[in-house]
Amino acid sequence: VVTTVNGNVLTLSAVTSAPVTASTGLTFGVVNQALTVASMTYNAGRLQLIKGTGVSSQLTATALTRGTNGMMTIISSNLATDLGVNEKFLTGSAPATANGILTLPSIVGRASSSQDLNFLRYDNTNGFLLHNATLATDLSVSAATSLGDFATAQQVAAGAIDILALRTSANITPFDGTSLLRLANGGLIMNAASGTGVAPVISSNLRFGTGSTPQEALVWVSGGQTGASTISGNFEAFDFTKAGAGTLLLSGTANVMAPTTTGLRNLTIQEGTLQFAGQSSVPQGGLINLVVNSSSSFDLNGQNVTLGGLAGYGSVNNSGSAANLTVNTRIGQSTTFTGTLNGNIGLTKTGNGTLT
């Protein structure tokens, strides 16, 4: 039964006693439950599946489509033993899996009893499942088809080090100024340290993608952290999309999101909060579109920031001293922001473009 629709969270719970009948699109076999929808588009959402006592819960989306820079979290009772077993999410638009992980990790998983996020894979029979990628032992050598999954501090060796994706609850540091950690599929999960809840810091330089051009950064920050997860090294990405309930601080001073010949790249906040340490930390010197969606927020944190465009329907906040947000649409582009401004914020519009 669909038990909760709360904002972006859909909860599907299996019954625990007698069979249930309904005249809607819900179908039931014995006391197991299955719901089929014709299509589902995810932008910034969570999907929760809850098994019953000795019974299963299954959702099938005949068509599953990623919205613009969309991100989704699947919440299961247990990612290892329930997801894909007693709690299934299937789709006719099967997402590609390679090396035991989704090739585009815009969908991740979380156990209902934990804030920690993890990568998933897809199986045509069982749907979304916990990844089964080979794990890299450390960051001393490249392992481009292996997942880095670390709970202890790691050092990136000199030069370029390639891994498939990174999940960390510990600090990642560089050996020297040449150290560059490249994430082949663009996936990054930053979880809180076990026991302490301390947020991790990545001070090594990062590149999202290993090809001739960078790709979208798919950055997840879990909730329940003490402080903000921080990327203090410089990064290079095509678009940059942040999800997860936690706060991400970008403090590198040479972040690259090179515009195309037709427009600026998008830094999208789909969930949680994003902060810059200052104007020098805004990618491309501010020549980006900042998109703040759904329940997410951009926190000026007392910093004066200039951007090339502002869009979305979330909130712009200021948790620090008085600060000014300048939207300089000098390349003639138009953006629309229908969200809210909160706190001691000044807003300045410059340039020959349009901000609505």
Side-chain angles (χ1 to χ4, degrees), residues 10-352:
L10 171 67
T11 300
L12 182 67
S13 304
V15 295
T16 58
S17 55
V20 176
T21 60
S23 59
T24 66
L26 293 172
T27 59
F28 301 89
V30 193
V31 292
N32 295 329
Q33 168 181 273
L35 168 66
T36 297
V37 295
S39 64
M40 176 183 291
T41 299
Y42 65 93
N43 291 290
R46 304 175 190 174
L47 169 68
Q48 185 167 8
L49 301 168
I50 302 175
K51 64 181 181 180
T53 303
V55 296
S56 64
S57 183
Q58 177 176 310
L59 172 65
T60 300
T62 304
L64 179 65
T65 305
R66 186 189 187 205
T68 303
N69 300 108
M71 306 280 264
M72 180 168 66
T73 303
I74 298 174
I75 304 171
S76 175
S77 301
N78 187 298
L79 294 181
T81 60
D82 288 313
L83 185 62
V85 181
N86 303 306
E87 299 167 345
K88 293 184 178 182
F89 180 26
L90 297 124
T91 176
S93 308
T97 292
N99 302 304
I101 188 174
L102 294 177
T103 56
L104 184 72
S106 60
I107 300 176
V108 300
R110 176 171 73 80
S112 57
S113 60
S114 172
Q115 292 288 336
D116 286 355
L117 302 167
N118 212 333
F119 291 108
L120 301 178
R121 58 190 167 98
Y122 189 84
D123 175 89
N124 286 331
T125 301
N126 300 302
F128 288 93
L129 295 155
L130 181 64
H131 77 84
N132 60 358
T134 300
L135 300 183
T137 56
D138 56 34
L139 298 174
S140 62
V141 295
S142 288
T145 59
S146 297
L147 169 65
D149 192 349
F150 304 115
T152 58
Q154 300 292 317
Q155 185 180 76
V156 180
I161 299 296
D162 295 347
I163 58 174
L164 181 59
L166 175 64
R167 176 179 184 256
T168 185
S169 57
N171 294 342
I172 307 293
T173 60
F175 174 76
D176 60 23
T178 70
S179 299
L180 176 64
L181 182 60
R182 305 197 306 179
L183 307 181
N185 71 6
L188 170 61
I189 291 175
M190 303 178 77
N191 287 326
S194 178
T196 65
V198 173
V201 176
I202 299 177
S203 53
S204 173
N205 291 336
L206 290 174
R207 188 176 191 271
F208 294 88
T210 55
S212 58
T213 58
Q215 62 190 59
E216 181 184 357
L218 301 162
V219 181
W220 298 85
V221 180
S222 69
Q225 299 189 10
T226 301
S229 284
T230 302
I231 300 177
S232 61
N234 300 317
F235 71 80
E236 182 182 12
F238 186 66
D239 284 347
F240 187 108
T241 306
K242 188 269 178 197
T247 298
L248 176 64
L249 172 66
L250 300 178
S251 60
T253 56
N255 297 320
V256 176
M257 290 174 61
T260 68
T261 57
T262 57
L264 304 182
R265 302 316 314 164
N266 291 334
L267 194 162
T268 303
I269 314 167
Q270 295 286 27
E271 186 184 17
T273 301
L274 184 134
Q275 303 170 333
F276 296 116
Q279 180 62 35
S280 62
S281 297
V282 182
Q284 215 61 32
L287 282 176
I288 60 167
N289 289 320
L290 183 70
V291 183
V292 188
N293 281 338
S294 191
S295 57
S296 65
S297 67
F298 169 53
D299 182 9
L300 286 167
N301 195 29
Q303 305 297 317
N304 296 320
V305 171
T306 298
L307 303 166
L310 177 65
Y313 49 94
S315 62
V316 175
N317 302 322
N318 182 22
S319 63
S321 57
N324 193 76
L325 174 63
T326 299
V327 182
N328 184 0
T329 55
R330 61 183 178 270
I331 63 171
Q333 69 167 2
S334 298
T335 58
T336 299
F337 179 69
T338 58
T340 60
L341 301 177
N342 308 294
N344 196 348
I345 299 174
L347 177 64
T348 302
K349 159 66 176 69
T350 61
N352 62 356

